[in-house]
Amino acid sequence: MNAEDHAVRFLCHNDWLYGVLSMPEQAGNRGVVMLVGGPQYRAGSHRQFTLLSRYLASSGIATMRFDYRGMGDSEGDTRNFEDINDDIRCAIDHFIQSVPGMTEVVIWGLCDAASAALFYAWRDSRVTGLVLLNPWVRTESGLAKAHLKHYYFSRLSDNALWKKILTGKVDYIAAARSLINDVSMACFKRAQPRASASLPDRMFDGYSRFKGKVLLILSGDDLTASEFSDLVASNEKWRVLLENQQTQTHTLPGANHTFSTRVWRDKVGRWTKDWLQSW
């Protein structure tokens, strides 16, 4: 199916936001809004968002990607993923107005964009699905545990490390400090202000409130994905939430955080398309 890209712009409060609508010849009633994670803009890492948008559009799924305020070409003050609810709502408003017959939207987000999607989705009945890739759940304690479990143990089998040790090229004091700091962070919780829930707790709240379907995709070689997996494995309420029927999970062995190879990117694209067309 043929598809075309169209430049779009829309207002969010008094700022113009810019994006690209990938439009199929004949769009269905469900489209995809792509959220950008981290310091990225609408093309995504390795142009992943551009290529995925065109792939989905060629399969009959209208897709829109955009820069939220303060990023890329869009106007406004810079903000982080915890403060883009209004940007998402304005994007969905414009997307639905631009695609005749489209009535519902799936939000696709990588890293902290996945976290932002969880904050937003339950508030908007037009959002019926989420595609979450390597959701960002980072806390000091969670990062330290992930380092201990996934970094230090893997380094023990690293020939390059042992070569440095045998030739005296290791800063033992700095290494010891780093290890002690990670053990301290992992084992001893720091007091948190009572009024502010942790990032994982706020994400859990959004996830549990959302009544649509979820496709969860995790990289096999990524610290952020490992932090999320460790959180779920160590927390009963997260395990129950992800075991319910609304969540389908895939793990891509060997893949890094941004699915940087064509093989990994294409796999993510096929999983996304097949899931979107399965319900």
Side-chain angles (χ1 to χ4, degrees), residues 140-141 143-145 147-148 152 176-189:
E140 288 184 343
S141 173
L143 177 61
K145 289 177 181 176
H147 267 145
L148 290 173
Y152 286 107
R177 283 176 178 166
S178 176
L179 177 59
I180 291 170
N181 183 62
D182 281 342
V183 171
S184 175
M185 288 291 184
C187 298
F188 304 104
K189 290 185 178 179

Side-chain angles (χ1 to χ4, degrees), residues 29-73:
N29 70 326
R30 180 181 302 141
V32 173
V33 168
M34 292 192 174
L35 293 188
V36 175
Q40 298 283 337
Y41 77 120
R42 58 185 181 274
S45 307
H46 329 291
R47 297 178 68 243
Q48 182 183 41
F49 295 179
T50 300
L51 298 170
L52 179 59
S53 295
R54 292 171 179 171
Y55 171 67
L56 294 177
S58 69
S59 303
I61 302 167
T63 306
M64 193 175 88
R65 47 199 165 88
F66 70 102
D67 301 333
Y68 55 77
R69 282 175 291 176
M71 296 300 295
D73 294 318

Side-chain angles (χ1 to χ4, degrees), residues 32 34 48 52 55-56 61 63 106-108 130-133 215 217 248 250 265-279:
V32 173
M34 292 192 174
Q48 182 183 41
L52 179 59
Y55 171 67
L56 294 177
I61 302 167
T63 306
V106 168
I107 300 176
W108 191 103
L130 298 173
V131 183
L132 309 175
L133 299 93
L215 174 63
I217 299 177
Q248 183 180 125
H250 291 293
R265 186 185 68 234
D266 288 351
K267 190 69 174 178
V268 168
R270 284 195 296 275
W271 279 339
T272 301
K273 178 182 74 70
D274 292 346
W275 178 78
L276 285 165
Q277 294 177 337
S278 70
W279 50 283

